[in-house]
Amino acid sequence: MGDLKLPAIDYGALAPMLILFGVACLGILVEALAPKKSRQAVQLTLSFLAIIASFVAVVVQHSTRKITIGGAVAVDGPTVFLQGAILALGAVSLMLIGERTIEKGGAFVSQAAITVGSQKDLRQAGDQPGATEVYPLTLFALGGMLLFVSANDLLTMFVALEVFSLPLYLLCALARRRRLLSQEAALKYFLLGSYASAFFLFGAALIYGFAGGISFGAVHDAVANPQRSEVLLYAGLALVAIGLLFKAALAPFHVWTPDVYQGAPTPITALMAACTKVAAFGALLRVLYVSFEGVRWDFQPVLGVIAVLTMLVGAVLAVTQTDMKRLLAYSSVANAGYLLVGVLALNEEGLSSTMFYLVAYGFSVLAAFGIVTLVRDADGEATHLSRWAGLGRKSPLFAGTFTFILLAFAGIPLTSGFTAKFAVFGAAVEGGQTWLVIFGVISSMLLAFPYLRVVVLLWLSEPGESTPTVSIPGFMTAAALTIGVIATFALGVVPAPLIDLTRDAAQFVR
């Protein structure tokens, strides 16, 4: 037998992921060996240092354009930009996760194995410190997202999908209060996510049967010059798309979103709303733009219908919600539809505008969920809309901040929401998808109603006896809110630097 030649490992390309995975493993050792009193400070410090070091590693390779690790990982403009976006949004999410002053012990249960409703459960809900396992789990999830957006073959993409999904399933179940709701949300997310992963893997097998390879370059070449039955191609593409559409919360694969967003600890909901959406759309962009560009006329109408359905379902069902987290969940669904409109432009402008939208929406939604963590009563977060009545009179600063974020979601000028929608709709018109823009504008008008209803509730309703207080934010929550609001305003007033950055990054390598 001849010598088996293994592909050379490019540690520079893998550095951002290796840093996060390495520090996550170190965090597990901290859990096992460090004194309980010092774990919170150690884990939080390690997590921030890991994200900063990983971000530096991403910046260092900003001009790199290559396919490496035996064709498994692509380092190009979209990879670098999306990895940087995930890390920036992940750092802000970590500020919300690390907050321990708003509620004594934080948002997380002290021991996940404690029986719900037992005396131990009541004691841990009162004053015991929250679990610090959330930090290594968060780093594992972020590391998987970095790999997900850089994967250059279907098998690597599937592995990355599982690496970032499994920690999220666990994190969703770790709420300090309303634990049954939290565990139900985690179970729903796990079961439906498992089905989606199975669809993705089955689709990858069919595409391998069609192309004779799983790398995106091989699939692209096979699509351009088909040698086998195209039934395998279209069936495989449909199944892979189902797996990706589930993670992106696009209709009709969005049904998990409101339940999981409502039940998960709010900092984890914020992490999923911002970072998971970047990862899911980053992977969808690479699959459609690199592998299946040759059959664009076949999948464009189908995904266009899904985009319309997503926008309308998100907008209409948001109107009927009475819980703030569920309202933001359906808002997230509708925004996924707007993002898909940008994706389906299938041109360079569509790619750059989608990446801009992901960053703009990510910072806004983190600020929104940050404010949700502050509106509390004796039982924890008060998320029912009726409880928010008159909050503007009791706490005008935070009500004003939330109003500004809601106006950004509605796409009012001088906010990042307006700039982002204008960018994706402009790209869609340029790409010949004007019909999608028409539905996008109609759904935006519908979606403005629940936002404005909340604004009216905050400012024009009388506060009642049951109106909760707005807690004074701790340093990290205040920092997260400040960053989110400044980004939302800055990207609405001076979006040019980020738009230029996305345009420079809008080129995949094959």
Side-chain angles (χ1 to χ4, degrees), residues 194-208:
S194 299
Y195 283 121
S197 297
F199 278 121
F200 184 95
L201 194 57
F202 193 15
L206 294 180
I207 290 170
Y208 176 76

PDB file of all heavy atoms in Angstrom, residues 194-208:
ATOM      1  N   SER A 194     -34.248  17.658  15.352  1.00  0.00           N
ATOM      2  CA  SER A 194     -33.740  16.343  14.940  1.00  0.00           C
ATOM      3  C   SER A 194     -34.321  15.938  13.591  1.00  0.00           C
ATOM      4  O   SER A 194     -33.610  15.409  12.726  1.00  0.00           O
ATOM      5  CB  SER A 194     -34.089  15.292  15.999  1.00  0.00           C
ATOM      6  OG  SER A 194     -33.500  15.610  17.236  1.00  0.00           O
ATOM      7  N   TYR A 195     -35.618  16.190  13.419  1.00  0.00           N
ATOM      8  CA  TYR A 195     -36.228  15.893  12.120  1.00  0.00           C
ATOM      9  C   TYR A 195     -35.575  16.724  11.017  1.00  0.00           C
ATOM     10  O   TYR A 195     -35.268  16.226   9.923  1.00  0.00           O
ATOM     11  CB  TYR A 195     -37.730  16.179  12.156  1.00  0.00           C
ATOM     12  CG  TYR A 195     -38.542  15.128  12.868  1.00  0.00           C
ATOM     13  CD1 TYR A 195     -39.324  15.455  13.973  1.00  0.00           C
ATOM     14  CD2 TYR A 195     -38.535  13.802  12.455  1.00  0.00           C
ATOM     15  CE1 TYR A 195     -40.075  14.500  14.634  1.00  0.00           C
ATOM     16  CE2 TYR A 195     -39.282  12.834  13.104  1.00  0.00           C
ATOM     17  CZ  TYR A 195     -40.044  13.184  14.195  1.00  0.00           C
ATOM     18  OH  TYR A 195     -40.780  12.232  14.856  1.00  0.00           O
ATOM     19  N   ALA A 196     -35.351  18.002  11.301  1.00  0.00           N
ATOM     20  CA  ALA A 196     -34.741  18.879  10.291  1.00  0.00           C
ATOM     21  C   ALA A 196     -33.333  18.407   9.942  1.00  0.00           C
ATOM     22  O   ALA A 196     -32.938  18.405   8.766  1.00  0.00           O
ATOM     23  CB  ALA A 196     -34.713  20.323  10.815  1.00  0.00           C
ATOM     24  N   SER A 197     -32.560  17.994  10.949  1.00  0.00           N
ATOM     25  CA  SER A 197     -31.212  17.484  10.692  1.00  0.00           C
ATOM     26  C   SER A 197     -31.258  16.213   9.850  1.00  0.00           C
ATOM     27  O   SER A 197     -30.420  16.005   8.964  1.00  0.00           O
ATOM     28  CB  SER A 197     -30.500  17.196  12.017  1.00  0.00           C
ATOM     29  OG  SER A 197     -30.334  18.380  12.762  1.00  0.00           O
ATOM     30  N   ALA A 198     -32.262  15.356  10.127  1.00  0.00           N
ATOM     31  CA  ALA A 198     -32.400  14.125   9.339  1.00  0.00           C
ATOM     32  C   ALA A 198     -32.726  14.442   7.886  1.00  0.00           C
ATOM     33  O   ALA A 198     -32.179  13.823   6.959  1.00  0.00           O
ATOM     34  CB  ALA A 198     -33.489  13.250   9.958  1.00  0.00           C
ATOM     35  N   PHE A 199     -33.614  15.407   7.659  1.00  0.00           N
ATOM     36  CA  PHE A 199     -33.916  15.832   6.281  1.00  0.00           C
ATOM     37  C   PHE A 199     -32.647  16.325   5.588  1.00  0.00           C
ATOM     38  O   PHE A 199     -32.381  15.983   4.423  1.00  0.00           O
ATOM     39  CB  PHE A 199     -34.973  16.945   6.291  1.00  0.00           C
ATOM     40  CG  PHE A 199     -36.385  16.453   6.419  1.00  0.00           C
ATOM     41  CD1 PHE A 199     -37.184  16.868   7.482  1.00  0.00           C
ATOM     42  CD2 PHE A 199     -36.927  15.583   5.491  1.00  0.00           C
ATOM     43  CE1 PHE A 199     -38.491  16.421   7.609  1.00  0.00           C
ATOM     44  CE2 PHE A 199     -38.232  15.127   5.606  1.00  0.00           C
ATOM     45  CZ  PHE A 199     -39.013  15.543   6.679  1.00  0.00           C
ATOM     46  N   PHE A 200     -31.881  17.148   6.306  1.00  0.00           N
ATOM     47  CA  PHE A 200     -30.646  17.695   5.724  1.00  0.00           C
ATOM     48  C   PHE A 200     -29.703  16.561   5.319  1.00  0.00           C
ATOM     49  O   PHE A 200     -29.145  16.562   4.212  1.00  0.00           O
ATOM     50  CB  PHE A 200     -29.968  18.624   6.729  1.00  0.00           C
ATOM     51  CG  PHE A 200     -28.745  19.323   6.206  1.00  0.00           C
ATOM     52  CD1 PHE A 200     -28.828  20.605   5.681  1.00  0.00           C
ATOM     53  CD2 PHE A 200     -27.503  18.699   6.201  1.00  0.00           C
ATOM     54  CE1 PHE A 200     -27.712  21.253   5.179  1.00  0.00           C
ATOM     55  CE2 PHE A 200     -26.377  19.330   5.705  1.00  0.00           C
ATOM     56  CZ  PHE A 200     -26.478  20.607   5.196  1.00  0.00           C
ATOM     57  N   LEU A 201     -29.521  15.589   6.200  1.00  0.00           N
ATOM     58  CA  LEU A 201     -28.579  14.500   5.926  1.00  0.00           C
ATOM     59  C   LEU A 201     -29.070  13.614   4.777  1.00  0.00           C
ATOM     60  O   LEU A 201     -28.269  13.183   3.930  1.00  0.00           O
ATOM     61  CB  LEU A 201     -28.379  13.670   7.194  1.00  0.00           C
ATOM     62  CG  LEU A 201     -27.188  12.709   7.204  1.00  0.00           C
ATOM     63  CD1 LEU A 201     -25.881  13.453   6.957  1.00  0.00           C
ATOM     64  CD2 LEU A 201     -27.121  11.968   8.521  1.00  0.00           C
ATOM     65  N   PHE A 202     -30.366  13.351   4.738  1.00  0.00           N
ATOM     66  CA  PHE A 202     -30.921  12.558   3.644  1.00  0.00           C
ATOM     67  C   PHE A 202     -30.749  13.304   2.320  1.00  0.00           C
ATOM     68  O   PHE A 202     -30.392  12.714   1.292  1.00  0.00           O
ATOM     69  CB  PHE A 202     -32.404  12.276   3.925  1.00  0.00           C
ATOM     70  CG  PHE A 202     -33.014  11.224   3.042  1.00  0.00           C
ATOM     71  CD1 PHE A 202     -32.231  10.356   2.278  1.00  0.00           C
ATOM     72  CD2 PHE A 202     -34.386  11.087   2.966  1.00  0.00           C
ATOM     73  CE1 PHE A 202     -32.798   9.385   1.463  1.00  0.00           C
ATOM     74  CE2 PHE A 202     -34.979  10.128   2.147  1.00  0.00           C
ATOM     75  CZ  PHE A 202     -34.173   9.271   1.393  1.00  0.00           C
ATOM     76  N   GLY A 203     -30.986  14.626   2.347  1.00  0.00           N
ATOM     77  CA  GLY A 203     -30.778  15.421   1.139  1.00  0.00           C
ATOM     78  C   GLY A 203     -29.331  15.399   0.689  1.00  0.00           C
ATOM     79  O   GLY A 203     -29.037  15.324  -0.517  1.00  0.00           O
ATOM     80  N   ALA A 204     -28.389  15.463   1.650  1.00  0.00           N
ATOM     81  CA  ALA A 204     -26.970  15.394   1.300  1.00  0.00           C
ATOM     82  C   ALA A 204     -26.632  14.071   0.622  1.00  0.00           C
ATOM     83  O   ALA A 204     -25.839  14.026  -0.330  1.00  0.00           O
ATOM     84  CB  ALA A 204     -26.123  15.589   2.560  1.00  0.00           C
ATOM     85  N   ALA A 205     -27.249  12.968   1.087  1.00  0.00           N
ATOM     86  CA  ALA A 205     -27.013  11.660   0.477  1.00  0.00           C
ATOM     87  C   ALA A 205     -27.518  11.627  -0.968  1.00  0.00           C
ATOM     88  O   ALA A 205     -26.846  11.091  -1.871  1.00  0.00           O
ATOM     89  CB  ALA A 205     -27.694  10.571   1.303  1.00  0.00           C
ATOM     90  N   LEU A 206     -28.690  12.215  -1.215  1.00  0.00           N
ATOM     91  CA  LEU A 206     -29.230  12.251  -2.579  1.00  0.00           C
ATOM     92  C   LEU A 206     -28.363  13.113  -3.492  1.00  0.00           C
ATOM     93  O   LEU A 206     -28.122  12.752  -4.665  1.00  0.00           O
ATOM     94  CB  LEU A 206     -30.663  12.776  -2.561  1.00  0.00           C
ATOM     95  CG  LEU A 206     -31.708  11.899  -1.855  1.00  0.00           C
ATOM     96  CD1 LEU A 206     -33.075  12.557  -1.912  1.00  0.00           C
ATOM     97  CD2 LEU A 206     -31.771  10.517  -2.513  1.00  0.00           C
ATOM     98  N   ILE A 207     -27.888  14.238  -2.965  1.00  0.00           N
ATOM     99  CA  ILE A 207     -27.024  15.099  -3.781  1.00  0.00           C
ATOM    100  C   ILE A 207     -25.701  14.401  -4.083  1.00  0.00           C
ATOM    101  O   ILE A 207     -25.152  14.525  -5.190  1.00  0.00           O
ATOM    102  CB  ILE A 207     -26.801  16.445  -3.064  1.00  0.00           C
ATOM    103  CG1 ILE A 207     -28.105  17.247  -3.071  1.00  0.00           C
ATOM    104  CG2 ILE A 207     -25.700  17.261  -3.743  1.00  0.00           C
ATOM    105  CD1 ILE A 207     -28.081  18.479  -2.203  1.00  0.00           C
ATOM    106  N   TYR A 208     -25.190  13.642  -3.126  1.00  0.00           N
ATOM    107  CA  TYR A 208     -23.981  12.852  -3.385  1.00  0.00           C
ATOM    108  C   TYR A 208     -24.236  11.846  -4.502  1.00  0.00           C
ATOM    109  O   TYR A 208     -23.383  11.627  -5.373  1.00  0.00           O
ATOM    110  CB  TYR A 208     -23.545  12.121  -2.115  1.00  0.00           C
ATOM    111  CG  TYR A 208     -22.371  11.209  -2.324  1.00  0.00           C
ATOM    112  CD1 TYR A 208     -21.082  11.711  -2.455  1.00  0.00           C
ATOM    113  CD2 TYR A 208     -22.547   9.826  -2.412  1.00  0.00           C
ATOM    114  CE1 TYR A 208     -20.001  10.881  -2.668  1.00  0.00           C
ATOM    115  CE2 TYR A 208     -21.473   8.985  -2.623  1.00  0.00           C
ATOM    116  CZ  TYR A 208     -20.207   9.513  -2.746  1.00  0.00           C
ATOM    117  OH  TYR A 208     -19.134   8.685  -2.959  1.00  0.00           O
TER     118      TYR A 208
END
